[in-house]
Amino acid sequence: MENTAVKTPPVTSVPFMSAAELLDTWQGHRRLSRRVLEAFPEDQLTTFSIGGMRPYSQLAIEMIALAAGGIEGVATSNWDAAGRLFALNGRETPVTRQELLDLWDQITEQINTLWPQIPATRFHEKEMAFGQYEGVIYSSILYLIDNEIHHRGQGYVYLRALGIEPPPFWDRQ
Amino acid sequence: MENTAVKTPPVTSVPFMSAAELLDTWQGHRRLSRRVLEAFPEDQLTTFSIGGMRPYSQLAIEMIALAAGGIEGVATSNWDAAGRLFALNGRETPVTRQELLDLWDQITEQINTLWPQIPATRFHEKEMAFGQYEGVIYSSILYLIDNEIHHRGQGYVYLRALGIEPPPFWDRQ
């Protein structure tokens, strides 16, 4: 006997969120991360450290390099340019807060420009992100965001240790 | 003249990831967070602090309370029970690392049990999470995970300050 009841799809197969929602989420995090960078005192940005960790300028450069290279590689499948941007990550020269904020804003625009150009089938392609990290594209994008949240959270500790109240975590506007 | 070309959907309307992929991602983060908790020295867990921040035991309790209450509220739409679990958050009594790890494992199982029971339409319902945070369910779930990454990143600074090498961030197995 055939079961003619309408089947409800199992929750596991339904979309969790759309590409547009992911972009909103990402840019919300970027707005908060920008405020954390802005709150960081210029004279501590390239020097202050806890437990031998990198100063916040280096963490911010990592965020910038990963986002810039990541969106480029995801949108174009060309991870060479991404690798070039990623190499910023190793940049050791001191940078000013304003230089970092300007780079930040440039990448924010770049993400908004490239996002609609991502092929609709792209999020479930398997690829070596940055030519070296094997993964499905959606998980590589999540990794960029997770890495930003992770290092930004460390920035909160640096700010607290410097006696500065960080921007509220829940505010993404 | 009618355009008969097959239309490619704009990238913004396509799913970014499925519910099953989100569960995998969440549990991957939980495995890493569990290792950070395990790496924390028992004698510093409830006392060590930087810049007046909460000790790691309190951050871990917040992660546990949010995850436990969150999955309950998402799966059942009953945020009363969630609120009760959330109230653990304010718990001030000292706890041992093993108690926290046991609670952690209990919630991990709870998430795996309740996840397949989430109605397929649920992720885009608007609701007051924990009876107080207005949002669409997918974004409330992301918030739980983001909050865990944020505080875990702070735990990395605590560990480094204590001279302990934290578990690698990229490893989610």
Side-chain angles (χ1 to χ4, degrees), chain B residues 52-125:
Chain B
M53 289 175 62
R54 288 171 288 171
Y56 201 65
S57 59
Q58 289 298 320
L59 300 182
I61 287 173
E62 178 175 310
M63 294 177 198
I64 289 167
L66 278 176
I71 188 62
E72 176 98 13
V74 166
T76 66
S77 298
N78 179 352
W79 290 99
D80 292 340
R84 196 166 32 73
L85 287 160
F86 186 59
L88 270 174
N89 200 9
R91 180 173 165 180
E92 295 291 342
T93 50
V95 280
T96 67
R97 186 174 55 192
Q98 194 54 53
E99 281 179 300
L100 288 172
L101 289 169
D102 290 347
L103 263 173
W104 195 270
D105 294 338
Q106 193 182 313
I107 306 309
T108 297
E109 283 311 303
Q110 183 75 342
I111 292 169
N112 284 337
T113 302
L114 290 179
W115 193 262
Q117 300 174 26
I118 299 174
T121 53
R122 187 89 175 108
F123 297 118
H124 289 83
E125 287 175 12

Side-chain angles (χ1 to χ4, degrees), chain A residues 116-132:
Chain A
Q117 300 174 26
I118 299 173
T121 53
R122 186 89 175 108
F123 298 118
H124 288 83
E125 287 175 12
K126 195 176 263 190
E127 207 165 75
M128 299 281 269
F130 296 96
Q132 51 186 315

